[in-house]
Structures are given as C-alpha cells and as structure tokens.
Amino acid sequence: MPDWLEAVLRVVGVLVAFLTLPLVVGQAEHKVMAHMQGRLGPMYAGGFHGWAQLVADGVKFVQKEDVTPREADRAVFRLAPVVALVPYLLALLVIPLGPGDLVGQPLDIGLFFVLAVVGVGVVAVLMSAWASANKYSLLGGLRGAAQLLGYELPLVLAAASVAMAAGTLSLPGIVEAWRPWWLLWQAPAMIVFFVAGLAEIRRPPFDMPVADSELVFGYLTEYTGLRFAFFLLAEYVGIVVIAALTTVLFLGGWQGPFADAQLGWLWTLLKVFAVSFVIIWLRVSYPRLREDQLQRLCWLVLVPASLAQLVLTATVRVWM
C-alpha cells in the first residue's frame, strides 16, 4: 500500500472515531441519566427507548438562530468553538486502539504530545469568555482558567508516574509494558489522573466555569445554535479522550483476559465505554463543588498524592 494512501486511511479512521464515539457517549448519557433520575422525556423520542433523542437535539440546534452579541469580538467569538474541538482531534491521532497499526500516528513522545494539546483547551475557554463581552462569561472564563491551570499539574504528574514505570513516553509502549499488578501499584495515580481529567473537561462536579445558578451559563452564556453544539461536542469528545487515556495508561489498553491480539480493539473500546459510564455516573451522583473546595482538592489532595506516587514509582524502578 502506498504511504500516502495509508496516511489518508489513518486520518479518515480518526475522523470517523472523532465524529461517532462522542455521539455514542452522548446518547448513553441521555439514557443513563434518564434511568438514574427517573426522567421520562429522553425515553420517548422516536419510539423504542427514545432512540431518536440525540437526533432531535441535533435538529433543535440546527434550527436555533445564530446570535453574535453586538459588542463581541466577532472573529474570536466565532473561532472559539473550533479551538475547543481541535485539541481533542489531535489527541485521538496518537491514542492507540489496538496493537500494531491500530493508531492514527504512533509517536515516541505520544504521551507528551497528548498532554500538551489537551492543555490548549484553556485557550478556547478564555477566547469565548473574553470575546463574549459579558461579565458572567468573563467570570466563568477566569474560573475555568484557574481550574484548568491548577488541575494540569496533578494530571501531568500522574501520567509521569506510569510513564516512568513503563520506561517510555510512547502510548503503545506503555500498554505493552503494562502488567495486571499495576492496577494496585499505580491505583493512586489512576485516581488522580481520572479526577484531574474530569476537571480538565469541566464535567460535573467540576463545572464551576458554567455554574448556571451563579453565572447564567458561564463562558457559554452568549452561544447559541451550532456554535453551542460544537462546545457540547467538545465536551463529549473530551470524555472519550480522558476515558481512552485512562484505559491506555492504567487499564492495559488492548490487553484482555484472552491472549488474542485480533480482539485488542474490542477490549480497548469496552474499557473506554466503561470509564465513560463512570464519568456519566459521577455527573448524576455528586453536586457541584464550590470554588474553594475545588482548589483545595487540587492543591491539598491531588498534588501531594501524585507527588507521593511519583516518589514510590521512582523508588520501585531503582530497585527493580
């Protein structure tokens, strides 16, 4: 197969995953929340088990008027939803689905690349907040910046722990080095990474930047129609990326109970959807943290825990 054709196929595969997996997670969130909270509405659209609820939401967003505030910085205001999506698309390029060639672009520094591009999300938050010319949006943007900059540290430290244990920054290399006993040894790092990842994508209970009871809807207040839908899509893609990274770094990726490499992609997807279910479950189960509680959790709990795990990993690596 020519190199150019292989590159095109890899990009197309990543684009298909980028467009379909978030929709599956979004549909699952409708159903999971409907069951957990006894909501009847999402169970009726389209008939059987409300299968058309996501379609109805999409039609609703397309029909809504696209409004740009008069005092807004129009170019930045319109560009922000795209900036929110692009980092997650780039992250999916290097996250392996299975062994061998089941990855968009294998990189020796894949973990470093993913953490770098995911951190760009704070730029989209600040762009939308500042360009909206709305005080509630600005307050939400500042909250978002403080939250994302704070939780970036435990996220990176937890990922560094498993990278040190594996001896590589390559995501496929980390999966190949992973052993089942790491579920115990790296469990603190996994918890820190997962919680910090939730804060990075601003999912409840870490949704202070869009606190509707205080800030209308934070940095999203002035967005309508498809631009608002793009921000929602970015949130669901963020769920997929965080779930996929948790799977690859801490749950063994494509490794399953059977030594069949042909089913590696299936094990990866099952683990990703299981972690996504936990993310949805947390949204339904826990109330929003106050700003002081959010920062205290970051600096007094997650950062010390990730540093302690890093020291433990370094010690074990020296003695191995």
Side-chain angles (χ1 to χ4, degrees):
M1 182 185 298
D3 292 341
W4 66 268
L5 180 57
E6 182 180 356
V8 169
L9 291 176
R10 289 176 183 271
V11 171
V12 170
V14 171
L15 283 175
V16 170
F18 178 76
L19 295 174
T20 57
L21 292 180
L23 297 181
V24 174
V25 172
Q27 181 75 351
E29 181 170 64
H30 279 98
K31 305 309 168 190
V32 171
M33 292 182 64
H35 281 294
M36 288 186 172
Q37 297 181 333
R39 297 185 178 188
L40 298 179
M43 293 300 179
Y44 282 91
F48 176 71
H49 210 69
W51 65 269
Q53 180 63 49
L54 205 62
V55 177
D57 288 341
V59 173
K60 176 186 69 176
F61 284 125
V62 171
Q63 291 179 337
K64 283 184 177 293
E65 183 180 3
D66 183 15
V67 177
T68 301
R70 181 183 304 170
E71 301 299 325
D73 186 329
R74 292 179 176 269
V76 178
F77 183 84
R78 292 171 178 172
L79 185 61
V82 178
V83 176
L85 279 169
V86 170
Y88 297 123
L89 174 60
L90 295 177
L92 287 176
L93 279 171
V94 300
I95 297 177
L97 179 61
D101 295 331
L102 289 179
V103 57
Q105 179 59 53
L107 293 178
D108 292 337
I109 56 170
L111 178 59
F112 178 82
F113 176 82
V114 168
L115 294 177
V117 297
V118 169
V120 177
V122 66
V123 177
V125 173
L126 290 175
M127 287 173 63
S128 60
W130 181 261
S132 294
N134 181 300
K135 61 183 179 181
Y136 296 110
S137 298
L138 182 58
L139 287 173
L142 294 177
R143 283 184 178 183
Q147 176 173 319
L148 297 181
L149 291 175
Y151 279 85
E152 191 75 22
L153 181 57
L155 184 80
V156 172
L157 290 175
S161 173
V162 73
M164 183 185 297
T168 179
L169 288 173
S170 167
L171 293 177
I174 290 174
V175 176
E176 292 171 359
W178 183 88
R179 296 295 179 268
W181 64 275
W182 285 22
L183 291 172
L184 295 178
W185 177 36
Q186 294 294 324
M190 180 177 65
I191 295 172
V192 170
F193 184 89
F194 179 73
V195 173
L198 286 182
E200 284 288 308
I201 59 177
R202 301 168 296 284
R203 287 283 297 183
F206 302 98
D207 57 337
M208 284 300 296
V210 292
D212 51 350
S213 60
E214 303 169 22
L215 302 178
V216 186
F217 213 53
Y219 64 93
L220 299 176
T221 299
E222 299 294 349
Y223 282 91
T224 59
L226 284 178
R227 290 195 177 90
F228 182 77
F230 285 159
F231 272 112
L232 288 185
L233 179 62
E235 178 179 331
Y236 288 125
V237 182
I239 293 176
V240 173
V241 169
I242 294 301
L245 285 175
T246 303
T247 296
V248 168
L249 295 178
F250 300 100
L251 300 178
W254 61 76
Q255 297 192 40
F258 308 107
D260 187 357
Q262 300 298 323
L263 294 178
W265 62 272
L266 179 59
W267 290 118
T268 300
L269 288 179
L270 288 175
K271 293 174 184 178
V272 168
F273 286 126
V275 176
S276 300
F277 172 80
V278 174
I279 293 175
I280 297 170
W281 188 4
L282 290 175
R283 173 180 180 175
V284 178
S285 304
Y286 288 92
R288 180 186 303 122
L289 295 176
R290 295 196 314 264
E291 185 67 23
D292 61 311
Q293 293 173 330
L294 186 143
Q295 295 297 339
R296 189 179 299 114
L297 174 64
C298 175
W299 295 106
L300 298 183
V301 179
L302 298 186
V303 171
S306 58
L307 287 173
Q309 177 66 39
L310 201 59
V311 171
L312 173 63
T313 302
T315 304
V316 172
R317 285 289 295 175
V318 168
W319 285 98
M320 285 178 62

